[in-house]
Amino acid sequence: MSIKNYIIGAMLAGITATSCSKILDVNPESQLDASTRFQKLEDYRFSLLGTYSLFRNDNYYGAFEGDANAFGLLSDILADDLLSTRENLQSQVVFSDWTYAANESQVEKAWIIGYKIINQANMTLEGIDRFAEKNPDEVNNIKGQALAIRGYVHFDLLRYWVNDYSRNSNEPGVPYITQSDYEQKPSRGTVKETYDKIEKDLLDALALLENQGPTQLAYISADAVKAMLARLYLYSKQYDKAIDFATELINNYPLASKTTFPQIWTDFSYDEVIWYIAFDDGQGTPGGNVYTPALNYSPYSPNEDLIAEYTADDIRPAAYYAVRPDGNDEDRFVLIKYQGKYTAQFRPDGVVNFKVFRVSEMYLIRAEAYAMSTTPDEAAANDDLNELRRARITGYADESYSGQDLLDAIEMERRKELIGEGHRFFDLKRKGAAARKVQRTNCSENCELDPDAPQWTFPIPQSEIDANPAIKPQNPGYGD
């Protein structure tokens, strides 16, 4: 598998130059073995920090024209909440036009960065147990975070590269890599097998982190793992488990007040945030492929029909959107969710932390799980929906929905609450092949993605298939 070609690059990209010179003696001609190259527990901590740094890559949560930004704003670009503008200089149009193929470099970049992170997590795990007797808490902390990263990133890859999210599906999954042996040539296995391994890694991580002390929100805690599991179980339709994990977090994380909510998006407040990826000066930006404030450049703009769904007393539009004149002095909406930190409020530079999990998502997960359960609890689902709305809308009066109206209300609330946080395309996709569809409003071309279109699933990069035929089959619609 050509993942092997990226292992050394992952290490060099994932650890600072100082750390590299301190703990790595990379010989590209030989097999990398963390158990021999990492001689102190501190070396494993450096490796873990390097793993986190890879999340800032422009193909994961970072954003730059020509790269994928696969798990940040790309989901909205692929769907109907962020629409290409006349300012767009071909930024990511291969995605917004759904023209990607097996040899598409941006798809390949998303695949590569996922497996780079996984490889770095594996290296962080290999050989660390020899320090467990003297430093059990520190070893458990490092192992727990590395296992969580490995499981979580495999889940992200599954979301793009498999067609059927059913928990026990026998359709092809994604290769699950648990060691840094760069000669391995794994098969894809099944979706069920992929889920099994993701779930095991996350549950093992939770057991290791459960009794650890408080941690900074830039690092994975037991609560962050619970958020991962709640999201995983929603996708796999294991609704009771989704409810259980979402409830634990709802009980521990209050929703932000109307005063502090806007401050979340400038990093002045971290109310309701469970885990974020830290971005600082010189480390890129999570939203620059949609709006670059320093240049007032907006290749993608929020759908005005979505903006019209907010009521006048909703606090979210002022935190998420602004009206700015373009180069022709014509007003247009721009997404300001990633405009910058409060320290740069007068000269916003787009550098701000990416919030991977917030407790508001847990309310929406639990509401949907209640509504979709074998025996639906519509009263509980309405309670969660109303609780979130009361936190966001001044003077809100509770409403009650049932049946499809309830599901539609939850879906719309996800759009209004979570725009730009990596959900919309997947929310449509997990409806299943019979019901999913992208249908863009305020659109003149490339406006619909039909339920049976192959573009709901990314192709396995052709370079992978060429290096490892065992990874076949290719996803339907992309050749052999």
Side-chain angles (χ1 to χ4, degrees):
M1 185 175 191
S2 65
I3 292 168
K4 68 183 182 180
N5 295 327
Y6 310 123
I7 287 177
I8 294 170
M11 295 186 67
L12 295 177
I15 305 177
T16 64
T18 300
S19 299
C20 283
S21 64
K22 185 172 184 180
I23 66 174
L24 299 179
D25 177 20
V26 177
N27 179 358
E29 300 301 322
S30 64
Q31 167 104 20
L32 294 172
D33 183 353
S35 66
T36 59
R37 296 189 183 274
F38 295 174
Q39 297 299 317
K40 304 184 297 295
L41 191 54
E42 181 185 9
D43 297 342
Y44 285 91
R45 176 60 69 179
F46 277 133
S47 180
L48 180 64
L49 294 175
T51 312
Y52 278 107
S53 76
L54 288 170
F55 281 115
R56 290 193 293 267
N57 184 280
D58 292 337
N59 296 292
Y60 213 94
Y61 290 129
F64 190 77
E65 283 194 275
D67 290 327
N69 185 229
F71 303 102
L73 283 76
L74 181 59
S75 179
D76 293 283
I77 291 171
L78 283 163
D80 52 356
D81 285 346
L82 291 173
L83 305 180
S84 183
T85 71
R86 64 185 182 184
E87 299 170 55
N88 196 335
L89 302 175
Q90 300 300 302
S91 171
Q92 295 185 295
V93 293
V94 69
F95 293 118
S96 57
D97 291 352
W98 305 302
T99 57
Y100 34 87
N103 61 353
E104 171 53 49
S105 63
Q106 292 185 70
V107 170
E108 182 182 37
K109 289 175 183 178
W111 174 271
I112 289 170
I113 189 56
Y115 282 107
K116 278 186 176 182
I117 296 172
I118 289 165
N119 179 75
Q120 187 77 25
N122 285 332
M123 294 182 66
T124 305
L125 291 164
E126 291 169 359
I128 194 173
D129 283 335
R130 69 188 188 272
F131 299 102
E133 185 175 352
K134 289 186 177 181
N135 299 281
D137 290 343
E138 178 74 358
V139 167
N140 286 347
N141 185 272
I142 294 172
K143 284 181 64 177
Q145 292 181 68
L147 284 169
I149 290 170
R150 186 170 75 185
Y152 177 71
V153 175
H154 277 105
F155 176 53
D156 270 352
L157 293 168
L158 177 144
R159 293 197 294 162
Y160 273 125
W161 273 276
V162 308
N163 183 56
D164 181 5
Y165 290 158
S166 300
R167 179 60 177 84
N168 294 313
S169 171
N170 287 318
E171 288 191 9
V174 295
Y176 207 93
I177 309 301
T178 59
Q179 54 185 332
S180 60
D181 175 7
Y182 67 91
E183 293 293 344
Q184 62 187 309
K185 295 189 176 183
S187 66
R188 295 178 65 176
T190 66
V191 171
K192 179 186 183 304
E193 290 167 343
T194 307
Y195 267 127
D196 288 344
K197 294 171 183 177
I198 294 169
E199 185 178 28
K200 182 180 187 306
D201 271 352
L202 294 182
L203 291 174
D204 287 349
L206 181 59
L208 291 167
L209 296 172
E210 189 76 79
N211 297 316
Q212 298 282 338
T215 186
Q216 296 180 26
L217 294 176
Y219 302 102
I220 293 172
S221 63
D223 285 346
V225 179
K226 291 173 185 176
M228 295 173 188
L229 285 161
R231 187 185 289 177
L232 174 79
Y233 289 134
L234 182 70
Y235 275 65
S236 62
K237 300 184 179 181
Q238 296 171 273
Y239 296 124
D240 288 347
K241 292 181 178 181
I243 289 167
D244 287 345
F245 281 107
T247 298
E248 287 195 52
L249 295 166
I250 288 168
N251 290 342
N252 291 326
Y253 290 78
L255 289 163
S257 70
K258 293 180 178 65
T259 300
T260 59
F261 178 77
Q263 297 169 353
I264 293 172
W265 309 105
T266 63
D267 294 341
F268 190 78
S269 170
Y270 291 114
D271 285 1
E272 79 176 55
V273 177
I274 300 169
W275 177 39
Y276 66 74
I277 298 299
F279 283 83
D280 290 308
D281 289 343
Q283 295 178 335
T285 168
N289 58 328
V290 168
Y291 181 58
T292 304
L295 302 175
N296 190 29
Y297 172 52
S298 181
Y300 289 91
S301 180
N303 191 330
E304 292 186 26
D305 283 355
L306 173 61
I307 296 175
E309 291 288 337
Y310 298 90
T311 63
D313 294 320
D314 198 314
I315 64 172
R316 288 172 291 194
Y320 291 179
Y321 316 112
V323 176
R324 304 266 168 83
D326 64 14
N328 296 316
D329 209 29
E330 295 183 15
D331 285 345
R332 85 285 203 224
F333 281 102
V334 297
L335 185 74
I336 59 169
K337 209 170 191 177
Y338 303 107
Q339 184 169 241
K341 299 177 186 285
Y342 69 95
T343 53
Q345 59 182 312
F346 299 112
R347 297 186 67 181
D349 53 9
V351 178
V352 68
N353 299 336
F354 184 85
K355 289 76 185 176
V356 184
F357 286 104
R358 296 187 291 122
V359 78
S360 60
E361 182 190 348
M362 300 301 115
Y363 276 91
L364 292 164
I365 285 174
R366 192 170 72 173
E368 184 175 341
Y370 277 136
M372 291 292 291
S373 293
T374 304
T375 304
D377 188 342
E378 293 188 338
N382 277 291
D383 285 346
D384 282 339
L385 188 59
N386 286 320
E387 183 73 19
L388 177 59
R389 287 179 173 179
R390 282 195 297 271
R392 302 294 189 248
I393 302 171
T394 302
Y396 175 74
D398 286 0
E399 299 185 57
S400 181
Y401 304 90
S402 62
Q404 188 59 47
D405 288 342
L406 175 58
L407 294 174
D408 290 345
I410 294 167
E411 179 181 352
M412 178 55 70
E413 206 64 34
R414 286 184 65 89
R415 293 179 69 186
K416 292 193 292 183
E417 177 71 18
L418 302 174
I419 182 173
E421 295 181 55
H423 297 280
R424 179 59 177 160
F425 183 73
F426 304 118
D427 285 349
L428 292 170
K429 183 176 177 179
R430 60 189 176 81
K431 290 183 177 184
R436 66 191 184 190
K437 185 172 185 177
V438 177
Q439 194 160 9
R440 294 169 175 158
T441 56
N442 294 313
C443 175
S444 59
E445 58 181 348
N446 300 307
C447 300
E448 294 187 3
L449 187 65
D450 291 331
D452 58 353
Q455 289 84 4
W456 285 100
T457 306
F458 278 179
I460 302 294
Q462 189 60 48
S463 59
E464 290 289 352
I465 293 175
D466 292 343
N468 175 25
I471 205 170
K472 289 184 178 182
Q474 173 63 280
N475 286 326
Y478 299 106
D480 295 331

